[in-house]
Amino acid sequence: MDASGQTKRQLRVAGKPSAKRTKESVQTKTRTETDLELLVFGADEEDASGRLFSKLGREQGSESPASSDNEDDNEDGSDDNEDSGEGPLFFVDTERDQQEVESESEAESEDAAVESDEPAAWEDDDMQDATVALKAKARLRKLRTEEDENTVSGSVYEERLRRQFEKINPVPKWAASDDSDKVGSDLLQTSAPLVSRTHVQLPSSSIDIARVRNANQAAVSQSAVQSVQFHPSASVLLTAGLDKTLRLFEVDGKENQKIQSIYFKDLPITSAQFIRNGHEIVASGRRGWYYAVDVEHASVTRINGVPGRPLKSLEFMRTNVNGDRMAFMGNAGQIHLVSTRTKQFVHTLPMNGVVRDVEFTNDGNYLWSTGLDNHVYQWDLRQNQCVSRWHDPTVFRPTCLAISQDSTYYASGDHAGVVNIYDARAMREEAGDSTFFNVRPFKAVSNLTTAVHGLRFNHSAEILAVYSRKKKDQLKLVHLPSATVFSNWPGSASHLGHVQCVDFSPQSGFMAVGNDAGKALLYRLQHYPTY
């Protein structure tokens, strides 16, 4: 090739824009146009929150939780690459991007077009000739009526599926009646309220409970689930664990889609809870700092411990979703109170022995605590002082306690696996004006064989969940006020694993169980009609 031809070829190459440069310009133009559209036309609050979380994740970095190894807590509270100043401290991941939303919108529009052209098919004739193998999949085995049953016809399979669905989602009473005229005439014959407010007591013999799709099926934790908690008003469940990831799921019992997840680079999470009526989440672990996630403003803040109190570990944290205080359990029986609004230190409550567990009352005015001295302390948070203290000589090394929402009952678990249940109001009446007294439980439950690690009352104080982490399937549900354990659940086929945490939804429609396999098992309590 002569010199002139080579020069022309170089000019053509130099004058041709690179594909990479063209792609960048197109992308820049697309972002600019998007910003202008948001500026001119605005955006939905939900979409804006999702974009803000996505933007926050991009600004902080792009490290993926999956690229990080699962790390256990060290005794000295150290962690590799922590406080080194390299890389982001957290990563926010939103489940759905714009492409997925557009594809779903196109699919919905196609389905709508098909439905408009074709009539609704209430019966499928092809199902009459089909056969279904019930042993082929684990989910189909529950449809068998006999253990050795294998194949059924399509119509039988459809009928059993329908029965299973109605078992989990019962038909409302208003939809079960066909005599609409009679219903209307009955309503007009009385001036009583249309909705009955009477509460049907939970039967003590057995509990009607059904397993539904796992709450975190869309994003299983890479370590044991250390915390599960339902949002106080929305159908949202929080999960967190030692994989340093906080996840939020929309709970419906069917899809349970993931809303978002937040990865903290330097914090294996041992406790995560809602505060301020669900507008904020706090996450702590075996470190000297913790994180606060403002759900309303879509921001994440790192708080460097309790001001003025050099604590190496903040793993033992308790909060009250309705109150303005959260508590960190320290050494030598000290309980450090922090404001949920300002995150500033408020006061230290001193106990006479090592503190094992604390619990807020539902109104947030009182805090109860227990420790190795076998005493229970009742603290008035409005005065920051102990107003009463009592002792149960039958308790062996208490490990945890719980208070019902109406403060009618409280329960205490010990190292021997015994759960003592007390009638709080009767206890106070017997004590009179005394500030220190001895108490006796009205029932001792001994169904666990290892140390009790957690207790949880449901919203109506009709169910008490007790569990232990040391052995598999160590979860029992206690009926109140009879204080008897439900015998029909869990069964031999429940497969709970090592239970780590339990929580009930606001109206006890669901119960979530976190285990060591990273799963948040979800159960539907049929007695309670609402979430």
Side-chain angles (χ1 to χ4, degrees):
M1 182 182 295
D2 55 2
S4 61
Q6 185 175 2
T7 303
K8 292 179 180 178
R9 180 175 181 274
Q10 291 176 351
L11 289 174
R12 285 196 300 268
V13 172
K16 181 179 180 180
S18 65
K20 180 177 181 181
R21 190 178 308 166
T22 304
K23 184 177 181 180
E24 291 179 352
S25 63
V26 173
Q27 290 179 347
T28 305
K29 181 179 180 179
T30 303
R31 296 193 194 99
T32 305
E33 291 177 351
T34 303
D35 294 339
L36 288 175
E37 290 176 358
L38 293 176
L39 182 61
V40 175
F41 301 106
D44 295 336
E45 182 178 356
E46 182 177 356
D47 296 339
S49 177
R51 292 190 186 95
L52 186 53
F53 267 108
S54 302
K55 181 180 179 181
L56 180 62
R58 291 196 300 270
E59 290 178 350
Q60 297 300 328
S62 59
E63 182 176 346
S64 173
S67 64
S68 174
D69 296 335
N70 299 331
E71 303 179 15
D72 295 333
D73 294 343
N74 300 324
E75 294 298 331
D76 56 356
S78 62
D79 193 10
D80 296 336
N81 299 327
E82 291 182 0
D83 295 334
S84 61
E86 300 179 359
L89 292 179
F90 57 88
F91 171 81
V92 182
D93 173 38
T94 54
E95 174 67 12
R96 296 184 175 184
D97 55 12
Q98 186 65 24
Q99 184 177 359
E100 292 179 350
V101 174
E102 291 177 355
S103 62
E104 290 184 0
S105 300
E106 293 176 359
E108 291 177 356
S109 61
E110 292 177 359
D111 293 342
V114 172
E115 291 178 359
S116 61
D117 296 335
E118 299 180 1
W122 297 103
E123 295 182 359
D124 189 358
D125 296 335
D126 295 335
M127 289 296 293
Q128 303 295 333
D129 302 329
T131 57
V132 181
L134 299 181
K135 291 184 178 181
K137 294 183 179 180
R139 287 191 174 184
L140 300 182
R141 294 173 186 171
K142 66 180 71 174
L143 301 178
R144 296 179 296 174
T145 57
E146 299 178 359
E147 186 176 358
D148 57 349
E149 186 179 21
N150 185 15
T151 60
V152 295
S153 64
S155 58
V156 174
Y157 173 69
E158 182 181 359
E159 181 183 356
R160 293 186 184 180
L161 276 179
R162 194 178 302 277
R163 286 205 307 260
Q164 180 69 13
F165 177 82
E166 292 178 352
K167 179 181 178 182
I168 299 176
N169 303 278
V171 179
K173 293 182 179 180
W174 59 266
S177 177
D178 296 331
D179 194 351
S180 57
D181 295 336
K182 183 178 183 299
V183 173
S185 61
D186 291 343
L187 290 177
L188 296 176
Q189 296 297 325
T190 177
S191 60
L194 297 180
V195 180
S196 175
R197 299 182 182 274
T198 58
H199 174 70
V200 179
Q201 294 295 327
L202 179 68
S204 60
S205 57
S206 63
I207 184 169
D208 190 1
I209 184 171
R211 172 82 179 271
V212 295
R213 185 182 179 92
N214 291 350
N216 65 341
Q217 188 74 30
V220 179
S221 297
Q222 302 303 312
S223 67
V225 177
Q226 298 290 314
S227 293
V228 292
Q229 188 181 16
F230 288 94
H231 192 276
S233 57
S235 301
V236 175
L237 178 71
L238 171 155
T239 68
L242 298 179
D243 59 352
K244 306 179 181 181
T245 306
L246 173 72
R247 298 178 177 89
L248 296 176
F249 299 90
E250 180 183 0
V251 178
D252 58 7
K254 300 175 184 178
E255 298 297 332
N256 300 329
Q257 296 181 357
K258 189 184 83 170
I259 300 175
Q260 66 186 29
S261 63
I262 304 176
Y263 173 74
F264 304 100
K265 178 183 177 181
D266 56 354
L267 185 66
I269 303 173
T270 60
S271 179
Q273 301 168 37
F274 287 105
I275 59 174
R276 296 175 51 225
N277 296 317
H279 293 116
E280 194 172 356
I281 303 171
V282 286
S284 68
R286 194 172 293 184
R287 300 292 184 266
W289 55 87
Y290 64 99
Y291 282 90
V293 180
D294 193 326
V295 179
E296 189 174 6
H297 297 91
S299 62
V300 181
T301 305
R302 170 172 158 160
I303 295 96
N304 292 322
V306 180
R309 300 296 185 273
L311 300 177
K312 294 183 178 180
S313 174
L314 300 176
E315 59 182 312
F316 301 110
M317 176 185 66
R318 296 291 184 272
T319 65
N320 179 21
V321 69
N322 301 318
D324 59 351
R325 297 285 186 272
M326 54 184 179
F328 293 97
M329 289 172 274
N331 300 323
Q334 293 184 335
I335 305 170
H336 305 289
L337 300 178
V338 175
S339 171
T340 58
R341 186 177 59 86
T342 64
K343 309 301 182 297
Q344 294 297 314
F345 170 74
V346 176
H347 192 76
T348 296
L349 306 175
M351 289 177 53
N352 294 334
V354 177
V355 57
R356 282 304 185 197
D357 198 12
V358 301
E359 183 79 5
F360 288 91
T361 57
N362 189 51
D363 56 10
N365 292 330
Y366 293 92
L367 176 74
W368 293 22
S369 64
T370 186
L372 293 183
D373 59 354
N374 280 14
H375 289 177
V376 177
Y377 298 74
Q378 185 182 27
W379 307 89
D380 189 340
L381 300 182
R382 294 164 295 185
Q383 305 175 17
N384 289 328
Q385 66 179 8
C386 181
V387 293
S388 60
R389 179 166 58 98
W390 55 89
H391 170 66
D392 184 357
T394 64
V395 176
F396 173 68
R397 294 174 60 187
T399 56
C400 55
L401 62 83
I403 311 170
S404 62
Q405 290 189 14
D406 58 359
S407 298
T408 301
Y409 303 103
Y410 95 89
S412 174
D414 65 13
H415 193 74
V418 178
V419 176
N420 293 316
I421 306 175
Y422 306 84
D423 189 330
R425 296 177 181 176
M427 179 187 69
R428 289 300 308 168
E429 291 177 359
E430 294 177 0
D433 297 333
S434 301
T435 58
F436 177 74
F437 47 90
N438 292 330
V439 297
R440 293 280 182 176
F442 77 87
K443 181 68 174 182
V445 179
S446 305
N447 292 70
L448 299 182
T449 58
T450 55
V452 183
H453 291 103
L455 307 167
R456 178 71 65 181
F457 286 96
N458 77 321
H459 82 286
S460 59
E462 293 177 306
I463 303 175
L464 171 63
V466 302
Y467 62 91
S468 176
R469 298 173 178 171
K470 288 193 174 182
K471 293 179 65 176
K472 284 187 176 181
D473 303 331
Q474 290 290 287
L475 170 63
K476 300 295 180 182
L477 298 182
V478 183
H479 174 269
L480 293 172
S482 66
T484 57
V485 177
F486 291 107
S487 59
N488 67 315
W489 193 90
S492 58
S494 296
H495 304 300
L496 301 175
H498 290 82
V499 177
Q500 305 293 310
C501 47
V502 176
D503 193 30
F504 294 96
S505 60
Q507 298 299 320
S508 303
F510 290 98
M511 179 182 69
V513 179
N515 65 14
D516 61 329
K519 298 179 181 179
L521 311 179
L522 191 63
Y523 294 89
R524 178 74 174 91
L525 304 182
Q526 307 290 2
H527 177 77
Y528 302 99
T530 58
Y531 168 80

